[in-house]
């Protein structure tokens, strides 16, 4: 297979799957089967891309063979290929889980095509090398997420959706304005070309203003302090499968864009931009975890933990050393797997009691030992207990912080980690250890569930828990991959050369 | 001409943000619409405002002979307009459904999912 085809496959495959799904709209069985097959294909193509990028370093595809700064460029470097791989994995896990949890009415209204559209947007955002194209992928992803969020039209969903839609549209408008200003300033939108031009831009104050515009645009999508309010207001409203894929992928697209922008484009005024990022990272961590402690419903607690953990990812980016950045990459890998898993497990708990309220649940340790084990492993990994994946992610970040001699953020990270453990213990004692309250809905669903449903529910969570444990046990290879990705991020010249030389080779004619 | 457009863009941003701060959801939608118009006009202004000259490079040349308006931002706006049209259409339906389901158009009443 031509290596460059692999770059476009993670975008084309979901599109093709979506088309087929739209053609088989009327058959619910076909929707389910094709949805899972499409996600499996995406996972396979993402694995192939990861393998190819590991061999070739950076893969570049000039769409329509237009040379580099003029056409749209798709770039797959190590970070993008890792992100696409994770997107494929989450797509697979969530589409299997959705077979047992998404009701036929939602399937009939196009749940599966929308998931594929969302995946196309997410993978496109990870792979593009052009700012305006990134905006388009953001919008593809957003419109799919809008519909997924409101699909079903329950009260809470509509209310949450208004906040989600309004704040995300504001961030899109800021992003669009930022694109306009950056084009006016430099005359290009290709990221590699921009990196070159911004480096030698005469007025660095303008570059700082641009950096702030992009920080607000991407920061809202990534749910950083103080722009995160849409997330805890909406993530607990849709069906669990939808929450889980949102939790795993959407904010991470924002984080990825921040990482791309602040390692490639805005690296001239580090003193200003990255110190601000560090401050934001600390505040995001602390406010997120404090918000989580005040909640008493499983998915609301988990939603606030997403915010808190975005802070960790930004911390590595803000410290801007190879080790800290590798910590960020490691943290993203760990976070996407664990967070999606926890939402899926939370969904199983909600299904048993008919509510996510901790006060109305209990006794699961006795009645569902497998579920208890799965939750325990995922929750401890989230809190960063060794030898699970979260421990190595946090340790790398904290080592990075100590080496950069930024002690305040290290203290914040450690305290937040402790509070995360506290918050996970709260779910554990309430839902698992405490005896079930007398008025709680008993495990009515347990007997009704067919073995296929149980397999569709437990299969993905067992897979993701195994990966979490696997990342912990085999931290070496994952750490190597994260380090390679971070070194590649810091070597802007390699990226610029890879993108622009592919174009210039074809555009040598006068 | 630039200054007129600059004032228009600023005015649109101000009006958009003002409308979004109102309590009515329909006004929120109008605010969002104004905001995206402002961003589009901003890009349009960024592409240089030149009247009556064609942005076509004559045969045998590698760059335009006179100063022309950059056609790329205009193409970008076209894409952005289509996207914002679709998104606003969706938001309109969302707001309609919300008012129908919740029986209120007051944003301050939408507190059930808050934290």
């Amino acid at each position: 297979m031509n290596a460059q085809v692999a770059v476009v496959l993670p975008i084309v495959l979901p599109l093709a799957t979506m088309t087929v799904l739209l053609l088989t709209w009327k058959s619910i069985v076909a929707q389910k089967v094709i949805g899972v097959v499409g996600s499996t294909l995406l996972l396979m193509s993402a694995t192939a891309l990861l393998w190819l990028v590991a061999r070739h370093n950076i893969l570049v595809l000039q769409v329509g063979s237009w040379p580099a700064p003029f056409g749209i460029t798709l770039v797959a470097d190590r970070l993008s290929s890792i992100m696409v791989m994770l997107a494929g994995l989450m797509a697979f896990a969530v589409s299997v889980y959705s077979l047992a949890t998404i009701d036929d009415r939602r399937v009939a209204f196009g749940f599966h095509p929308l998931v594929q559209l969302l995946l196309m947007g997410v993978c496109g955002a990870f792979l593009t090398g052009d700012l305006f194209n990134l905006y388009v992928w953001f919008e593809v992803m957003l419109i799919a997420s809008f519909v997924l969020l409101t699909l079903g039209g329950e009260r809470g969903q509509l209310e949450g959706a208004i906040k989600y839609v309004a704040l995300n549209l504001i961030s899109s408008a800021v992003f669009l304005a930022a694109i306009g200003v950056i084009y006016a300033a430099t005359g290009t939108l290709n990221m590699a070309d921009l990196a070159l031009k911004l480096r030698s831009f005469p007025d660095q104050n303008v570059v700082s203003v641009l950096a702030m515009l992009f920080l607000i645009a991407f920061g809202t999508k990534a749910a950083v302090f103080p722009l995160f309010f849409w997330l805890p207001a909406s993530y607990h409203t849709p069906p669990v499968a939808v929450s889980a894929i949102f939790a795993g992928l959407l904010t991470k697209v924002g984080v990825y864009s921040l990482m791309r922008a602040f390692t490639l484009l805005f690296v001239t005024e580090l003193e200003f931009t990255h110190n601000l990022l560090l401050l934001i990272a600390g505040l995001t961590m602390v406010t997120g975890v404090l918000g989580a402690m005040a909640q008493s419903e499983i998915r609301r607690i988990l939603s606030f933990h997403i915010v808190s953990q975005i802070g960790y990812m930004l911390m590595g980016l803000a410290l801007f050393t190879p080790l800290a950045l590798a910590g960020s990459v490691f943290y993203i890998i760990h976070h996407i797997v664990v967070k999606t898993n926890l939402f899926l497990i939370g969904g199983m708990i909600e299904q048993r009691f008919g509510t996510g309220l901790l006060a109305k649940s209990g006794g699961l340790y006795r009645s569902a030992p497998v579920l208890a084990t799965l939750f325990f492993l995922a929750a401890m990994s989230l809190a960063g207990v060794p030898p699970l994946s979260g421990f190595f992610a946090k340790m790398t970040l904290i080592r990075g912080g100590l080496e950069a001699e930024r002690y305040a953020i290290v203290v914040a990270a450690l305290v937040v980690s402790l509070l995360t453990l506290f918050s996970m213990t709260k779910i554990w004692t309430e839902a698992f250890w405490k005896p079930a309250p007398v008025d709680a809905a008993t495990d009515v669903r347990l007997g009704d569930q067919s073995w296929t449903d149980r397999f569709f529910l437990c299969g993905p969570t067992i897979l993701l828990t195994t990966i979490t444990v696997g990342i912990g046990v085999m931290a070496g290879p994952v750490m190597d991959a994260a380090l390679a990705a971070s070194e590649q991020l810091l070597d802007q010249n390699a990226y610029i050369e890879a993108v622009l030389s592919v174009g210039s080779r074809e555009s040598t004619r006068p | 001409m630039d200054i007129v457009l600059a004032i228009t863009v600023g005015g649109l941003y101000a009006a958009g943000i003002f409308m979004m701060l109102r309590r009515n959801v329909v006004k929120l939608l109008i605010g969002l619409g104004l905001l995206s118009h402002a961003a589009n006009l901003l890009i349009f202004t960024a592409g240089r405002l030149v009247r009556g000259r064609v942005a076509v490079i004559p045969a045998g040349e590698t760059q335009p002979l006179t100063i022309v308006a950059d056609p790329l931002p205009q193409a970008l706006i076209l894409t952005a307009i289509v996207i914002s049209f679709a998104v606003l259409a969706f938001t309109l339906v969302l707001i309609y459904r919300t008012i129908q389901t919740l029986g209120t158009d007051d944003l301050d009443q939408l507190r059930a999912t808050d934290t």
Side-chain angles (χ1 to χ4, degrees), chain A residues 147-411:
Chain A
V147 186
L148 276 175
L149 191 63
T150 47
L151 197 64
E154 290 162 17
R155 273 183 85 95
Q157 282 186 301
L158 292 171
E159 244 180 70
I162 291 235
K163 294 157 198 170
Y164 180 88
V165 169
L167 286 170
N168 274 295
L169 287 185
I170 294 172
S171 118
S172 291
V174 175
F175 188 12
L176 197 57
I179 287 175
V181 180
I182 208 169
Y183 185 78
T186 60
T188 179
L189 288 172
N190 182 292
M191 290 195 217
D193 202 23
L194 269 175
L196 264 185
K197 295 213 163 120
L198 288 177
R199 212 184 272 178
S200 54
F201 197 72
D203 188 355
Q204 287 297 328
N205 290 331
V206 175
V207 178
S208 294
V209 170
L210 283 169
M212 289 309 102
L213 278 174
F214 281 103
L215 179 63
I216 290 174
F218 295 149
T220 314
K221 313 266 183 203
V224 302
F225 179 87
L227 307 165
F228 63 80
F229 292 97
W230 55 270
L231 193 151
S234 62
Y235 268 28
H236 59 92
T237 58
V240 176
V242 176
S243 293
I245 199 156
F246 281 16
L249 297 177
L250 292 197
T251 46
K252 260 52 72 183
V253 177
V255 174
Y256 167 84
S257 311
L258 279 174
M259 286 183 92
R260 190 57 80 202
F262 286 89
T263 56
L264 184 66
L265 305 180
F266 307 113
V267 286
T268 44
E269 300 279 298
L270 287 179
E271 193 64 27
F272 170 61
T273 50
H274 286 63
N275 276 345
L276 181 67
L277 273 175
L278 196 65
L279 180 71
I280 291 175
L283 287 170
T284 310
M285 275 180 210
V286 175
T287 42
V289 85
L290 290 181
M293 289 170 69
Q295 298 300 319
S296 56
E297 203 183 318
I298 293 174
R299 271 199 280 169
R300 288 187 194 230
I301 296 178
L302 293 176
S303 300
F304 267 107
H305 277 299
I306 300 178
V307 177
S308 156
Q309 281 154 355
I310 298 293
Y312 282 96
M313 296 168 206
L314 284 191
M315 170 182 165
L317 172 64
L319 292 169
F320 210 57
T321 61
L323 184 66
L325 256 181
S328 277
V329 177
F330 199 123
Y331 205 97
I332 292 178
I333 301 174
H334 142 77
H335 170 91
I336 293 182
V337 175
V338 167
K339 198 83 230 184
T340 309
N341 196 9
L342 277 173
F343 267 89
L344 296 182
I345 294 169
M348 280 155 53
I349 300 175
E350 279 184 23
Q351 204 183 36
R352 272 160 191 262
F353 297 107
T355 169
L357 281 172
L358 286 175
K360 291 196 176 163
S361 48
L364 280 176
Y365 184 64
R366 189 182 296 273
S367 63
V370 177
L371 187 62
T373 318
L374 291 172
F375 174 81
F376 185 77
L377 285 170
M380 289 304 116
S381 175
L382 189 78
V385 172
L388 298 159
S389 59
F391 170 71
F392 294 99
K394 282 183 183 164
M395 189 184 73
T396 317
L397 279 173
I398 285 167
R399 258 186 62 199
L402 289 175
E403 277 178 20
E405 301 185 344
R406 299 303 190 95
Y407 300 114
I409 193 81
V410 171
V411 172

Side-chain angles (χ1 to χ4, degrees), chain B residues 33-54:
Chain B
L34 290 179
L35 215 59
S36 72
H37 292 329
N40 287 338
L41 265 186
L42 177 71
I43 301 182
F44 179 65
T45 319
R48 215 184 283 131
L49 302 166
V50 180
R51 247 191 169 171
R53 296 204 198 117
V54 191

